[in-house]
């Protein structure tokens, strides 16, 4: 009887040992698949990245800490920047994005990759240049072959011009922590839901 029991235990153990392991990709989490990258001057962009991360169940990281593999392996990217150098043709954010977009992005594989963009600006003091750096993110990622999701209506924003506008809409979700900070979390929540509806996640 004891011999039979021992044989049964051995058979079960051997069967378990030969169960094929599912590929790692089958167990990739949303956190592995989608990355949020930002950089900030005053902390406002980090705050808004935090709202987006909380709504999406992700974590936000500085683009300065992103490795080549982080970018290439992500299924989708949410990227955000402040606008610092107003009315500039390029390098508008005054952050690590300024170099990354021109020295790193061209060497990354983002062809067909899903990208969503957010920007942070001051629509009162810099009404004519509101969130211009977000427009630069859009231009460079599209140039590299990415597909941008999450365009947002300009309704409810108080600005006179923005390089982040394309065909009457913002290229993503724009925030104003100086003048409309009370709307930021709600805007982030609605935008994340919009991205879900668009199949971004």
């Amino acid at each position: 009887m004891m011999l039979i029991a021992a044989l049964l235990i051995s058979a079960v153990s051997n069967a378990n040992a030969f169960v094929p392991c599912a590929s790692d990709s089958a167990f990739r989490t949303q956190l592995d698949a989608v990355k949020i990258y930002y950089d900030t001057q005053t902390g406002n962009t980090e705050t808004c990245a935090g709202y987006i991360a909380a709504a999406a169940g992700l974590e936000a990281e500085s683009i300065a800490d992103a490795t080549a593999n982080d970018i290439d392996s992500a299924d989708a990217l949410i990227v955000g920047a402040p606008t610092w150098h107003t009315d500039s043709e390029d390098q508008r954010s005054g952050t690590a994005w300024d170099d990354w977009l021109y020295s790193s992005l061209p060497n990354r594989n983002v062809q067909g990759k899903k990208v969503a963009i957010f920007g942070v600006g001051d629509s009162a003091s810099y009404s004519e240049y509101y969130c211009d750096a977000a427009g630069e993110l859009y231009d460079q990622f599209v140039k590299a072959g990415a597909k941008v999701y999450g365009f947002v209506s300009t309704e409810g924003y108080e600005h006179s011009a923005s390089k982040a506008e394309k065909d009457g809409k913002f290229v993503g979700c724009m925030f104003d922590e100086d003048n409309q900070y009370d709307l930021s979390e709600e805007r982030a929540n609605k935008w994340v839901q919009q991205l879900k509806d668009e199949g971004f996640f």
Side-chain angles (χ1 to χ4, degrees):
M1 199 67 177
M2 292 180 63
L3 177 59
I4 294 174
L7 289 173
L8 287 172
I9 292 171
S10 176
V12 171
S13 297
N14 289 336
N16 288 337
F18 287 100
V19 172
C21 293
S23 68
D24 290 340
S25 62
F27 293 96
R28 290 183 68 190
T29 63
Q30 188 180 51
L31 182 59
D32 295 323
V34 182
K35 301 286 188 181
I36 302 177
Y37 290 110
Y38 70 94
D39 208 357
T40 189
Q41 275 276 0
T42 65
N44 286 344
T45 310
E46 183 176 13
T47 296
C48 295
Y51 291 143
I52 295 168
L58 303 172
E59 293 181 4
E61 306 173 54
S62 170
I63 189 60
D65 297 328
T67 66
N69 184 65
D70 288 336
I71 302 299
D72 291 345
S73 64
D75 291 336
L77 301 169
I78 299 175
V79 297
T83 295
W84 198 257
H85 299 142
T86 56
D87 204 28
S88 295
E89 288 304 312
D90 54 29
Q91 298 188 324
R92 299 170 190 158
S93 76
T95 70
W97 281 115
D98 291 351
D99 290 330
W100 192 92
L101 287 174
Y102 299 97
S103 63
S104 295
L105 179 57
N107 299 314
R108 302 278 52 82
N109 179 20
V110 298
Q111 184 67 41
K113 194 182 294 290
K114 298 175 182 178
V115 171
I117 296 165
F118 68 98
V120 180
D122 181 341
S123 61
S125 299
Y126 303 98
S127 178
E128 297 178 6
Y129 315 107
Y130 181 60
C131 292
D132 279 359
E136 186 176 12
L137 291 176
Y138 174 87
D139 291 340
Q140 296 308 311
F141 272 97
V142 168
K143 181 180 178 180
K147 182 178 180 181
V148 177
Y149 288 68
F151 283 65
V152 171
S153 170
T154 60
E155 185 177 349
Y157 291 87
E158 300 173 358
H159 69 293
S160 57
S162 173
K163 290 184 172 69
E165 284 187 41
K166 303 291 180 184
D167 300 323
K169 287 188 174 184
F170 284 127
V171 298
C173 189
M174 304 301 132
F175 298 90
D176 185 344
E177 283 291 283
D178 295 296
N179 307 287
Q180 296 182 324
Y181 61 88
D182 54 322
L183 300 177
S184 293
E185 189 169 7
E186 180 184 0
R187 282 173 172 167
N189 290 338
K190 287 183 177 179
W191 190 52
V192 168
Q193 185 57 55
Q194 176 185 337
L195 291 174
K196 291 178 180 178
D197 294 342
E198 292 179 6
F200 180 83
F201 292 101

